[in-house]
Amino acid sequence: MTSLDRRTLLRAGLATGAGLAGGTLLGGAGPVAGAPAWRPTGRPVLTHGVQSGDVTAGSALVWTRADRPGRMWVEVSHRPDLRGARLVRGPVLDPAGDFTGRVRLRGLPAGERLHYRVSVESLDRHGARSEPLSGSFATVPGRRDRRDVRFVWTGDIAGQGWGIAPDFGGMRIFEAMRAVRPDFFLCSGDTVYADGPLAETVPLPDGRIWRNLVTPEKAKVAETLTEYRGQFAYNLLDTHLRAFVAEVPQINQWDDHEVTNNWYPGEILADDRYTEKRVDVLAARARQAFGEWLPVSDGPLYRKLSYGPLLDVFVLDMRTHKDPNDGNTYADPRRGLLGREQREWLIRELKRSRATWKVIANDLPIGVVVPDGPAAQEGVAQGDPGAPAGRELEFAEVLRATHRAEVTGLVFLTADVHYTAAHHYDPARAAVGDFTPFWEFVSGPAHAGAFGPNALDGTFGPKAVFVNAPPRANTSPAEGFQHFGEVSIDGASGAFTVRLRDRDGVPLWTTTLPAPR
């Protein structure tokens, strides 16, 4: 129980050149608070920090990972020094879950910043506990508490061959997002790039060399459960990301690159890099790793999280029930991205919501054309500006049903296309008139190749009010064009302010939407 093989060392960030050294992780300038240097003491070691997620008014998920089997313990308090903390007994971390563990803290006070400390106790040496790691999160305001709400969103992490490069500061966008002090972080999919192997070096157009940190699991496309787990382990080697997720609770959704590019259920791959061609097999392994390595709730990936009277967040799952990629011009209402059950859930919950703002987190944009090769379509749109067809049909149904029910305050937030933009949709410009005007804001990538802009499909009348995109495809993070979005909702007026920012947090564009009547 006290020895670590080479792969475990790499995964834990403890091998030479791979991560922890005197408490410092590659990708940043300094140590993570509470991250100990590894010493062979026989006590468990927490290898990848702590995280929190899917927070409610009275509960929160807390996550960690150890280097061996052990019992997880969490202390939680409203005091930073954790005096008088409540001690919560967590699960046993074992090989079946890759030594990861989550515990839902319950009975928490609403609308408060709480502090927690995680440790793991050895199963074979009673009382031998790891050095603890600390974090914090803010619980959701109560139903009548109209306080300000602030959150950030982006997606697309470590893609297109651009991994953690210490010489370029690592994934520094997470430090910029942490500086905003958000109440939570919405990750809009592509939390990892399981289909994007990393090379040790990549030449840049200006002659510089991008030098990736590479682990065994990142040297090829992921196929096994171990390789899928390694995608998430890799990202957490970055100092900025670890510090960010220790302080900011997350809402995570998945898209395609958690499994493989542009995947859909039932697909059989023609990619020679894969020995396992059945996407359903790969997706099951990826889904297990996603649930193990991120603080996400059990159950369906589509879900609603409420943030007091001002905000409900509707997280969509546009992969699990996705129909095959084709020309996307069919008239069959039974097909689509959401599936009947999720579509009916979304319409029903939007009608029930009494929040001022209803944010729909869609991991694929509504009006942006996202091709899958020369003839097929990956997303909702297909480039035909006429009446809704293909996957547009189910979103036409959602927009029509909410319009007729006089649902107000709909805003769509997405990433996926690797640039940032503000799109306004209006029936006055559209081929269909039975919906209320709405905004869709795009922000990304967090740390990946930059692309775009893509063409817009005129069916729902989109207008590109703002776009920031790179000069060429797959522009590296070293050249900028990495983005995140910030939303601030004013507690007094209910106004919804969106700021599209670059990787250093510089605002590129801002708008404020007045609260709907």
Side-chain angles (χ1 to χ4, degrees):
M1 291 298 186
T2 59
S3 64
L4 297 174
D5 62 21
R6 181 177 180 274
R7 172 161 290 192
T8 303
L9 287 169
L10 285 167
R11 291 275 298 281
L14 303 174
T16 302
L20 285 176
T24 300
L25 283 169
L26 289 180
V32 179
W38 180 76
R39 292 183 296 274
T41 62
R43 295 192 297 170
V45 175
L46 303 186
T47 60
H48 290 78
V50 292
Q51 307 180 67
S52 65
D54 282 11
V55 173
T56 71
S59 72
L61 279 174
V62 169
W63 175 99
T64 196
R65 181 185 184 273
D67 65 341
R68 70 197 72 184
R71 169 73 66 181
M72 180 179 176
W73 294 92
V74 182
E75 301 167 85
V76 60
S77 172
H78 67 280
R79 295 174 57 110
D81 61 8
L82 281 101
R83 288 184 60 185
R86 175 160 61 102
L87 181 63
V88 178
R89 185 174 185 257
V92 169
L93 315 187
D94 59 28
D98 203 19
F99 306 109
T100 66
R102 297 169 295 156
V103 60
R104 182 165 284 281
L105 307 178
R106 302 183 185 276
L108 304 177
E112 286 194 24
R113 175 153 290 277
L114 300 175
H115 303 267
Y116 66 90
R117 185 163 57 204
V118 181
S119 60
V120 169
E121 182 179 15
S122 173
L123 295 182
D124 58 353
R125 292 184 58 197
H126 180 69
R129 290 198 181 188
S130 68
E131 290 290 334
L133 295 180
S134 300
S136 65
F137 56 83
T139 52
V140 170
R143 292 182 179 180
R144 294 180 174 83
D145 188 351
R146 290 183 60 88
R147 67 176 64 186
D148 297 352
V149 177
R150 175 181 289 110
F151 67 94
V152 293
W153 91 94
T154 186
D156 315 306
I157 304 173
Q160 287 74 48
W162 310 110
I164 302 169
D167 293 347
F168 287 91
M171 300 182 188
R172 70 190 207 209
I173 195 170
F174 290 101
E175 177 59 29
M177 290 196 291
R178 188 167 72 102
V180 172
R181 300 186 62 81
D183 296 311
F184 66 92
F185 166 51
L186 169 62
C187 189
S188 301
D190 294 340
T191 53
V192 297
Y193 274 74
D195 59 335
L198 299 176
E200 291 186 0
T201 61
V202 183
L204 297 174
D206 61 5
R208 294 180 295 172
I209 300 296
W210 180 278
R211 302 183 189 279
N212 282 315
L213 166 64
V214 182
T215 59
E217 293 84 0
K218 291 298 295 183
K220 65 178 291 292
V221 296
E223 300 179 82
T224 67
L225 177 57
T226 295
E227 289 163 352
Y228 279 109
R229 288 166 166 169
Q231 310 305 305
F232 297 93
Y234 176 82
N235 286 357
L236 287 170
L237 295 179
D238 183 77
T239 301
H240 304 307
L241 177 58
R242 279 176 58 129
F244 177 70
V245 298
E247 292 185 17
V248 181
Q250 305 165 59
I251 301 175
N252 285 286
Q253 63 185 147
W254 76 344
D255 191 26
D256 57 333
H257 292 289
E258 285 83 358
V259 181
T260 191
N261 188 46
N262 295 349
W263 73 275
Y264 52 83
E267 182 181 8
I268 303 298
L269 296 177
D271 190 333
D272 291 338
R273 298 178 301 169
Y274 289 85
T275 57
E276 175 56 74
K277 306 289 189 180
R278 298 168 295 173
V279 162
D280 289 354
V281 173
L282 298 175
R285 294 167 181 167
R287 178 66 179 86
Q288 180 175 338
F290 183 90
E292 291 171 344
W293 278 84
L294 293 173
V296 294
S297 303
D298 294 329
L301 288 176
Y302 66 86
R303 59 206 189 275
K304 183 187 83 169
L305 294 105
S306 297
Y307 283 80
L310 294 176
L311 176 65
D312 282 345
V313 180
F314 299 83
V315 183
L316 301 186
D317 175 4
M318 302 171 80
R319 286 290 157 185
T320 302
H321 311 284
K322 189 174 191 271
D323 62 343
N325 290 347
D326 57 18
N328 195 25
T329 57
Y330 54 81
D332 185 352
R334 294 170 297 180
R335 292 182 58 180
L337 291 165
L338 304 179
R340 180 182 60 81
E341 184 177 323
Q342 182 177 187
R343 182 168 61 250
E344 292 176 353
W345 164 84
L346 179 59
I347 293 171
R348 180 177 65 251
E349 293 302 319
L350 285 170
K351 290 180 178 179
R352 287 178 177 174
S353 175
R354 295 296 175 261
T356 304
W357 296 100
K358 295 93 175 166
V359 164
I360 299 177
N362 50 309
D363 50 287
L364 287 167
I366 302 299
V368 179
V369 180
V370 185
D372 182 16
Q377 296 297 327
E378 155 74 350
V380 177
Q382 77 288 96
D384 181 349
R391 294 165 181 156
E392 294 169 336
L393 292 169
E394 62 183 350
F395 284 92
E397 180 183 347
V398 172
L399 294 172
R400 178 173 61 251
T402 53
H403 174 70
R404 292 180 178 180
E406 298 183 339
V407 175
T408 59
L410 291 186
V411 176
F412 290 79
L413 299 182
T414 189
D416 186 63
V417 288
H418 295 240
Y419 61 94
T420 192
H423 298 146
H424 184 254
Y425 294 76
D426 194 320
R429 297 186 295 265
V432 56
D434 202 4
F435 69 92
T436 302
F438 65 92
W439 285 87
E440 179 179 53
F441 298 102
V442 184
S443 201
H447 187 87
F451 293 83
N454 292 22
L456 294 179
D457 183 311
T459 296
F460 297 113
K463 178 182 178 181
V465 179
F466 173 79
V467 174
N468 191 55
R472 63 185 179 279
N474 200 19
T475 297
S476 79
E479 299 174 72
F481 298 100
Q482 312 291 293
H483 308 101
F484 70 95
E486 175 199 352
V487 172
S488 300
I489 306 176
D490 182 71
S493 68
F496 188 101
T497 298
V498 177
R499 296 177 179 88
L500 302 180
R501 297 179 179 268
D502 69 11
R503 66 173 174 179
D504 296 316
V506 176
L508 304 174
W509 183 85
T510 301
T511 192
T512 297
L513 312 180
R517 296 181 181 178

